[in-house]
Amino acid sequence: MNYKKKNFYIEGVSAEKISKNYGTPTYCYSFNKIKNNINSFKKYFESIKPLICFSVKSNNNLYILKIINKLGLGADVVSQGELMKALKAGINSKKIVFSGVGKKSDEIKFAIDKNILLINAESLNEIKEIEKIAKLK
């Protein structure tokens, strides 16, 4: 993103052209900025190589999630809908963490059926529910 002759450009395309083609308001994302931010963040953890999970709640745009997947990140989801979106974006189920309070039994079952990496339990009752559902498998 930069200015050229008092006009704002996003990856070489003027904001004026974008607004004429798509109207306003329009959301624009910079692939290069996303890639650079992720690679910069990953660099700080090179020695331990952790699984970095992107919060789908923060942005569930399918194209953004596909980019995040291609850059090697996993997903942190808080609902079955977000889990489905992460899977649709191609994120490997073994790179998906299900967090959040108030998970419903059918959401837990879905997550277990999809063989995700981890379900963060928020209470003893939720642990018991996860155990009950997992034993049925």
Side-chain angles (χ1 to χ4, degrees):
M1 297 178 272
N2 59 8
Y3 284 93
K4 293 178 192 172
K5 297 180 184 176
K6 298 185 180 182
N7 291 307
F8 183 61
Y9 283 77
I10 303 164
E11 292 204 15
V13 180
S14 75
E16 184 178 351
K17 183 176 181 178
I18 292 168
S19 68
K20 283 181 182 175
N21 287 342
Y22 301 101
T24 59
T26 297
Y27 291 92
C28 296
Y29 300 96
S30 167
F31 170 77
N32 289 328
K33 187 67 173 169
I34 292 169
K35 182 178 78 171
N36 291 340
N37 285 349
I38 288 172
N39 288 334
S40 175
F41 186 80
K42 287 167 76 173
K43 189 175 182 179
Y44 288 102
F45 301 97
E46 277 178 336
S47 64
I48 58 173
K49 296 187 183 351
L51 172 61
I52 300 169
C53 292
F54 177 79
S55 170
V56 175
K57 179 184 254 185
S58 70
N59 190 329
N60 69 359
N61 180 298
L62 187 60
Y63 297 102
I64 300 297
L65 295 176
K66 286 180 179 184
I67 290 169
I68 285 158
N69 178 45
K70 286 180 184 172
L71 294 171
L73 272 59
D76 181 81
V77 302
V78 297
S79 69
Q80 183 174 333
E82 288 183 7
L83 174 52
M84 292 169 69
K85 197 94 172 240
L87 292 168
K88 187 174 183 179
I91 297 173
N92 184 310
S93 64
K94 287 298 185 188
K95 287 185 165 186
I96 298 176
V97 175
F98 193 173
S99 303
V101 297
K103 295 175 207 72
K104 299 175 189 153
S105 294
D106 59 325
E107 291 179 309
I108 293 169
K109 182 183 181 311
F110 185 81
I112 291 170
D113 287 345
K114 294 300 178 185
N115 201 26
I116 68 167
L117 175 65
L118 178 72
I119 299 173
N120 284 325
E122 305 294 330
S123 67
L124 181 57
N125 284 341
E126 193 169 88
I127 291 170
K128 290 176 182 178
E129 184 67 13
I130 292 166
E131 183 179 39
K132 183 180 93 179
I133 294 167
K135 282 182 177 178
L136 297 173
K137 297 289 157 199

